[in-house]
Amino acid sequence: MIKPTNPESYALITWTDSLQFKACFLSFAAQVKGFVGGCRPIIRIDGAHLSGYYKGVMLTAVAIDGNKEIFVLAYEIVDTESIDSWTYFFRNLRSLFAQYESQKEDWTFISDRMRGVESALFEVFPRATRRICCQHLYSNCKAAGWSGATFHKMFWIAANAYNEYVFEKAMSKIKDFDAAAYDYLKNVEEQWSVHMLDRTVCCDHNTTNFVESFNAITKANRDMPVLTLLEAGGGEFEVRDGHVKFPVTLGNIACGCGKWQGSEIPCKHGLKVIYNQRLDPRDFVSPFYKGLLTNSLMETTSTP
């Protein structure tokens, strides 16, 4: 449905040999056009677990626009987070860019050290640059036993250093604090300190806060079945009635058939959406009717 209703969008669904759902990848035309045409060449990637009956993982690619605001590029639903699922994700990203005649291969990706990301990324984008989220890097340090106010301060001075002098000075203090911590950080192959970052990318971010903010927004819907999850958003729905499709908007209490707006009682299309979303129809009825319905109910219950 996405392809005929949103021309030039990229949508792919994959099935197993036994015709069971395996994965899907989606990016609407406006998303990729906006990214290729106006966003900096850095992509934040992350995975968020689905909490519904069938479980699964939602992989997301998020960029930032010129106003430093979240710009969602693409998302994918897979059964589990693995090398195969991330490879599927990156291959679709590559095909997505090729569809819009973007020959760029040296994209910058930033993420935490998720399972399967590194090998999958460089298999599909061998010229890519990878940044590591400093917040996750610091969490790894804490897990290894390097923590406390002193280490915390030195770590973030090194992470946010805009020049090599400040970075090396902070690292020297970390070495005096704990040589093992110094060796660990020195051996991190990904970019993590600001002074290491490619200036041509024009982005000094060294955390994945943007994509995690997007994941936080979707948390309330991640217990839904896959189809419902992908359709959720903004209270806008589409209901088929025979050969006609009617747009229904819960927030505005409106349906394309016009009946709901005219009577302020949900039409049959609105009711389908209300019940589908497990909501109470009485919340979408005009207060005038609620008074009449209450009086009518009282009269019925008082009748012998």
Side-chain angles (χ1 to χ4, degrees), residues 200-276:
T200 63
V201 177
C202 295
C203 180
D204 59 1
H205 288 215
N206 56 2
T207 69
T208 57
N209 289 347
F210 273 89
V211 69
E212 289 176 4
S213 294
F214 175 77
N215 285 340
I217 294 173
T218 65
K219 185 176 181 180
N221 297 319
R222 292 206 303 268
D223 63 342
M224 297 179 176
V226 172
L227 184 59
T228 309
L229 169 65
L230 295 176
E231 290 182 338
E236 298 180 359
F237 304 84
E238 189 176 72
V239 177
R240 183 189 293 272
D241 188 354
H243 298 291
V244 183
K245 300 172 187 173
F246 293 99
V248 174
T249 307
L250 293 182
N252 295 336
I253 306 183
C255 176
C257 74
K259 187 175 181 179
W260 195 353
Q261 297 91 299
S263 66
E264 293 200 37
I265 296 177
C267 60
K268 61 180 181 180
H269 314 113
L271 283 173
K272 283 187 177 180
V273 173
I274 291 169
Y275 287 127
N276 177 267

Side-chain angles (χ1 to χ4, degrees), residues 282 291-303:
R282 290 174 293 185
L292 292 174
L293 288 172
T294 301
N295 292 336
S296 176
L297 180 61
M298 290 176 63
E299 293 173 2
T300 301
T301 55
S302 63
T303 302

